[in-house]
Amino acid sequence: GTPADSIVFRSASATPTSTDWIGIALEAPVSSSFEHCVFMHAENALSLLEAEVDVTKCSFRNCGTGLYLRGVTSNVTSCSFAAGTFTAIYLQGPTCKPLIRECNITVGDFSAAAAPYNVFCISYSNAPNVYVDARYNWWGSSDESEISQTIFDETFSGGHVNVDFEEWYSEPGVESRSWGAIRAMFID
């Protein structure tokens, strides 16, 4: 898509729910990208199964899971994951190490006992220590303890994956200008 004309993947139902359709799945070997797309009402909106696909400037709303990633090192950049999505980014290890940057990831509910997760990691137990770089994102809060409650990694599971979310944005980032490969993200 383009900034003026996004590609929209959504339910055809007059009263859509967060799991009306299964979603899009790409399996290896695939070389592709998604840019300026909107995903709504899918069980797993976009699944990348060992398929190296970059996801840029996409929006995920009212989905079961926004991004389901297994065994990828893809870049997830300048995307938004909004409320109504239960898990923003689901990572299945042990080789899944995406770079997650400049995203607004705000599906976690800091007050709920069983909160939706911004990032959920699974199947990293037999891997050497894995580092997922998720710095420079807005997590829906600027409180470190609140942010960490919405990330299911070794802190919760005792596994071998660490999602580094430090150096987070203190408020949502907004893309103001784009000149091809050059982007300017500003925080007002």
Side-chain angles (χ1 to χ4, degrees):
T2 67
D5 193 18
S6 295
I7 298 170
V8 178
F9 301 96
R10 61 165 302 209
S11 169
S13 173
T15 55
T17 67
S18 64
T19 57
D20 276 2
W21 60 291
I22 293 173
I24 297 170
L26 300 176
E27 294 188 42
V30 170
S31 177
S32 187
S33 65
F34 285 85
E35 188 168 351
H36 295 290
C37 297
V38 177
F39 297 87
M40 300 185 323
H41 317 121
E43 187 172 331
N44 292 309
L46 182 57
S47 298
L48 305 178
L49 311 172
E50 298 166 9
E52 295 300 330
V53 176
D54 289 338
V55 182
T56 307
K57 301 174 190 159
C58 292
S59 174
F60 299 84
R61 300 188 298 249
N62 298 312
C63 299
T65 298
L67 273 175
Y68 176 88
L69 307 175
R70 183 181 74 207
V72 301
T73 57
S74 298
N75 296 317
V76 180
T77 311
S78 301
C79 294
S80 67
F81 300 85
T85 299
F86 187 75
T87 301
I89 303 170
Y90 186 104
L91 306 176
Q92 184 175 355
T95 58
C96 188
K97 298 183 280 186
L99 174 68
I100 304 166
R101 278 283 199 284
E102 300 173 352
C103 295
N104 293 328
I105 309 172
T106 59
V107 303
D109 179 355
F110 306 114
S111 64
Y117 289 104
N118 286 330
V119 178
F120 188 92
C121 303
I122 191 167
S123 299
Y124 284 88
S125 60
N126 294 326
N129 290 337
V130 174
Y131 168 82
V132 174
D133 189 345
R135 296 174 296 152
Y136 310 110
N137 294 293
W138 166 243
W139 298 97
S141 173
S142 57
D143 181 293
E144 182 176 4
S145 65
E146 287 184 348
I147 297 168
S148 68
Q149 290 174 30
T150 67
I151 297 174
F152 187 91
D153 63 359
E154 69 181 11
T155 306
F156 284 101
S157 66
H160 300 278
V161 62
N162 179 27
V163 176
D164 181 2
F165 62 86
E166 292 191 15
E167 302 179 53
W168 58 85
Y169 290 155
S170 59
E171 57 188 73
V174 177
E175 184 177 340
S176 306
R177 293 273 183 184
S178 180
W179 302 273
I182 301 172
R183 281 193 317 282
M185 293 289 284
F186 296 96
I187 305 230
D188 294 329

